[in-house]
Amino acid sequence: MSDYRIQGATGEWEVVIGLEVHAQVTSNAKLFSGAATTFGAEPNTQVSLVDAAMPGMLPVPNRECIRQAVRTGMAIDAQINKWSRFDRKNYFYADLPQGYQISQLYHPLVGEGAIDISLDEKNPDASGKRIGVERIHVEQDAGKLMHDQHPTRSYVDLNRSGVALMEIVSKPDMASPAEAGAYVRKLRSILRYVGSCDGNMEEGSMRADVNVSVRKPGDPLGTRTETKNVNSVRFVMAVVEQEARRQVDVLEEGGRIVQETRLYDPDRNETRSMRSKEDAHDYRYFPDPDLLPLELDDAFLAECRASLPELPDAKRSRYQALGITPYGAAVLTAEVENARWFDTLLDAGAKPVAAANWVTSELFGALNRLGKGLDESPVSPTQAAELLGLVADGTLSGTLAKQVFEVMLETGQGAGAIVEERGLKQTSDTGAIEKVIADVMAANPNQLEQYRGGKEALFGFFVGQTMKAMGGKANPAVVNELLKKALG
């Protein structure tokens, strides 16, 4: 249970949050036509006669869009409805050429499911909460009005008209901005693992309608508002915070909350009224007469289930079973690219714990410094496995490995080649190390006397001086062992 509360003049208030996430389905075409869906195409270049609602055009469902929605439902353990139906949602708008949107109100493709979220990155298992999902239905997107192309006219771009969307409707189970943010992050992660949506919120392929209401603890649910088309996790959290605060202020001043649709202005960090909220009956929904019901057979459902990859929670559990910390496992599974890269590293022979520590610290740190994503890494998983192998077999010390890694980042060369070319191999030659130790002791008589007089903390000084004299190439374990003998 969230302890998030808004402090008002009349006491504490709880926030109740539900999210409707629109996720663009990854497919080869639109929901009811063969038109392309490439982002950034010239306006009105990806519009079929069906999308433009030309007379006599009949929609035909895209099997791949249905398949991806079913796979998404399976990934959140939702009820898959073997019988579902399309409905027409009737309203007039300039970017909706049909005068209606084909959606699923009464009989959605996917029923109830759930998504587990965590609020503590350091210990994901200690702060979990299950958020219910009410339904997932498929529907077509509308076009887009462009108001900035002409001083007195608005232009219509129908490239998005008919694009397939999954609307993923949560239950009102979230009670803080942090929970709403964690839910969107987790849902995005699942969609990207499944491959049913690329999750690119900046390009509009995933956006959220944020439903917020407030109440005194223990009271019935308050009147909710819906803030439309929020396109980042940070903005979702800001909407919850700002809208809940606004509602508390209105109620405490004796006003009432109107059920309405609002928009979020990120520049001012505020929500603004857009229109009064319509109820479903205002849209005059009815079954689409051009489309037969969808009937899914067992073979189709079995194929969908068999095609699912290992999902984030299962992968995180597997990593933890290999000895990786809960935090490390959470970082490695948060993004599908991280997990794929790490799995390839393990397949190449890297030891799990050492590999996890190296990826989350050295690799991610270097990429962050270079301003690159993992997909742009100059070092491949196979090359990383070679580097870690050289550390594991004693060829490289930790210090030398860092040097080799820097060269790998700059040149793209393999670790073995760099070690040979630059003579960076770690030495365990006891004779050579003993000679250096003798020189270090002779050069530091005062420290030697203090150490033998009981100041044991100086042992680290002698280790450091020996390693420095050997250019970081001495095996630290051998240095420690030989120093203990030499210092007496």
Side-chain angles (χ1 to χ4, degrees):
M1 189 71 178
S2 172
D3 56 2
Y4 181 81
R5 297 287 186 275
I6 292 178
Q7 299 297 327
T10 62
E12 289 189 335
W13 296 78
E14 287 179 344
V15 186
V16 180
I17 307 151
L19 295 175
E20 299 166 19
V21 174
H22 292 83
Q24 180 175 329
V25 180
T26 304
S27 78
N28 51 352
K30 295 183 180 180
L31 183 54
F32 298 115
S33 83
T37 58
T38 310
F39 178 77
E42 285 294 308
N44 297 311
T45 57
Q46 300 185 151
V47 188
S48 76
L49 296 175
V50 173
D51 309 324
M54 292 298 166
M57 294 297 105
L58 290 175
V60 177
N62 180 339
R63 185 180 190 274
E64 179 63 11
C65 295
I66 305 305
R67 176 178 169 273
Q68 292 286 30
V70 168
R71 293 174 71 245
T72 302
M74 289 176 168
I76 61 169
D77 289 326
Q79 168 69 36
I80 307 300
N81 296 320
K82 294 174 78 171
W83 190 96
S84 63
R85 190 185 72 195
F86 287 105
D87 301 299
R88 286 188 183 179
K89 178 182 181 180
N90 295 276
Y91 66 96
F92 173 79
Y93 208 65
D95 61 10
L96 191 71
Q98 292 161 307
Y100 58 85
Q101 177 190 30
I102 302 176
S103 183
Q104 293 186 307
L105 176 67
Y106 300 110
H107 299 281
L109 185 62
V110 178
E112 291 194 5
I115 293 174
D116 293 319
I117 64 169
S118 172
L119 299 179
D120 183 355
E121 279 193 346
K122 297 290 185 189
N123 189 3
D125 297 323
S127 61
K129 182 174 180 178
R130 175 157 286 198
I131 307 299
V133 172
E134 194 173 289
R135 57 191 276 146
I136 302 176
H137 63 260
V138 290
E139 63 184 21
Q140 56 179 182
D141 206 352
K144 179 183 177 184
L145 283 178
M146 298 185 291
H147 306 293
D148 57 357
Q149 308 290 307
H150 190 278
T152 58
R153 297 177 181 176
S154 290
Y155 290 171
V156 181
D157 177 11
L158 293 182
N159 277 352
R160 287 198 65 84
S161 180
V163 162
L165 302 176
M166 294 178 284
E167 183 168 343
I168 303 157
V169 183
S170 85
K171 294 190 175 180
D173 290 349
M174 289 159 275
S176 72
E179 287 184 5
Y183 172 84
V184 175
R185 276 193 296 271
K186 184 63 173 288
L187 175 57
R188 179 180 180 273
S189 176
I190 292 169
L191 294 173
R192 284 165 56 75
Y193 269 77
V194 171
S196 57
C197 174
D198 65 20
N200 194 327
M201 299 185 81
E202 297 79 24
E203 294 181 0
S205 54
M206 182 174 161
R207 54 191 193 262
D209 296 343
V210 184
N211 291 284
V212 175
S213 65
V214 297
R215 64 180 175 185
K216 288 289 181 70
D219 281 2
L221 289 173
T223 302
R224 65 182 170 87
T225 63
E226 179 184 41
T227 303
K228 299 285 285 185
N229 294 332
V230 184
N231 66 352
S232 79
V233 174
R234 184 164 60 89
F235 290 165
V236 166
M237 295 171 71
V239 165
V240 172
E241 195 171 336
Q242 296 304 316
E243 179 58 16
R245 180 77 257 176
R246 184 192 71 82
Q247 290 186 19
V248 167
D249 290 345
V250 168
L251 292 169
E252 291 200 322
E253 288 169 8
R256 67 184 188 87
I257 303 303
V258 179
Q259 185 172 336
E260 63 180 351
T261 301
R262 299 179 71 84
L263 288 177
Y264 176 63
D265 182 342
D267 295 327
R268 297 186 176 188
N269 190 26
E270 65 182 22
T271 64
R272 289 202 300 271
S273 182
M274 182 180 167
R275 60 176 181 264
S276 63
K277 175 64 181 172
E278 307 89 344
D279 288 321
H281 59 77
D282 291 334
Y283 289 117
R284 302 293 186 268
Y285 278 94
F286 62 84
D288 193 299
D290 292 336
L291 288 159
L292 292 170
L294 288 172
E295 297 188 27
L296 310 180
D297 60 30
D298 291 336
F300 176 77
L301 295 178
E303 185 274 320
C304 288
R305 193 169 293 283
S307 72
L308 287 177
E310 184 181 38
L311 293 165
D313 288 348
K315 198 176 283 286
R316 181 161 61 86
S317 297
R318 176 165 66 84
Y319 287 173
Q320 287 181 230
L322 294 173
I324 296 168
T325 65
Y327 174 68
V331 170
L332 291 168
T333 56
E335 292 287 348
V336 67
E337 290 87 358
N338 295 358
R340 286 177 184 154
W341 205 97
F342 187 69
D343 279 340
T344 307
L345 179 58
L346 294 184
D347 291 343
K351 298 288 186 287
V353 174
N357 293 337
W358 182 83
V359 169
T360 55
S361 58
E362 300 296 328
L363 179 63
F364 286 172
L367 293 176
N368 190 46
R369 192 173 72 244
L370 295 170
K372 293 180 181 287
L374 193 56
D375 58 334
E376 304 167 293
S377 172
V379 176
S380 70
T382 309
Q383 288 176 316
E386 183 188 16
L387 175 64
L388 290 167
L390 293 173
V391 175
D393 67 14
T395 302
L396 290 176
S397 65
T399 305
L400 286 173
K402 288 177 190 289
Q403 292 179 34
V404 172
F405 179 47
E406 288 301 323
V407 179
M408 293 169 73
L409 288 169
E410 288 171 21
T411 66
Q413 275 184 291
I418 293 167
V419 167
E420 288 300 325
E421 188 181 289
R422 307 199 179 198
L424 292 173
K425 203 171 283 188
Q426 175 175 269
T427 180
S428 297
D429 180 342
T430 55
I433 295 172
E434 282 171 343
K435 182 180 182 311
V436 172
I437 287 173
D439 292 343
V440 167
M441 288 166 64
N444 297 280
N446 293 339
Q447 286 86 346
L448 181 61
E449 188 180 333
Q450 290 175 48
Y451 177 81
R452 287 177 170 162
K455 197 171 180 181
E456 293 185 1
L458 281 168
F459 184 79
F461 166 80
F462 286 103
V463 172
Q465 290 298 306
T466 305
M467 294 298 289
K468 184 179 177 183
M470 297 198 70
K473 295 178 186 176
N475 185 320
V478 177
V479 168
N480 274 266
E481 186 184 333
L482 295 177
L483 265 172
K484 281 174 188 167
K485 287 181 187 172
L487 291 170

